[in-house]
Amino acid sequence: YRSILSFQDEILAKFGWKIGYTEDMEKRLIAAIYHPEMTWEWKYQIDVYGFQFNKTDDLILFPWDNITIARNSFLPVRKHKPIFSLHENITGNESNLAFYVPHNPPCLFNNIYGSDYMTPKSGPSTQAKWGTLHGRPAHGNPECNTPLTVSEQEDLERQLA
């Protein structure tokens, strides 16, 4: 999270977007990346959520939603889609610019939202923290034990370093 905030000037130079956050957002490790010409009421933004990893319990806490998930449902994150910039390439290396997704989305969503996560719902039960607030932990229900390939294991070690 703090690394993303430290790149504010580079993100503005490369993409023309700004990082916005309030004191409360910073405490909960969240920021919004947005185009400066858009207003807060009507805009497209990318939310950046930080997390804390408890190596002893192999669990990840997301302070924004106050949920704890299993590390193996989330890490290692994997490259999903490239990000293209309309601005000049200032890094000289575009290959690392990408959107990433959790390692095992079906198991992650099953743990956070319940086994019926694919069923459309409305109301408070759609919020990530609802299950945790109502006695259903967001990990171990079911276990996410997808074996890692050698490459994924290397990615995990690099991401945890």
Side-chain angles (χ1 to χ4, degrees), residues 88-148:
E88 182 179 332
N89 180 355
I90 61 172
T91 64
N93 180 2
E94 295 273 342
S95 65
N96 291 329
L97 297 175
F99 288 106
Y100 287 77
V101 296
H103 174 68
N104 189 342
C107 194
L108 175 66
F109 295 151
N110 192 346
N111 274 280
I112 292 174
Y113 300 106
S115 60
D116 62 347
Y117 70 90
M118 295 284 290
T119 304
K121 300 180 201 79
S122 62
S125 66
T126 63
Q127 299 296 313
K129 61 186 171 188
W130 188 87
T132 301
L133 292 174
H134 291 86
R136 183 179 46 78
H139 55 86
N141 189 17
E143 294 290 335
C144 300
N145 293 322
T146 308
L148 298 178

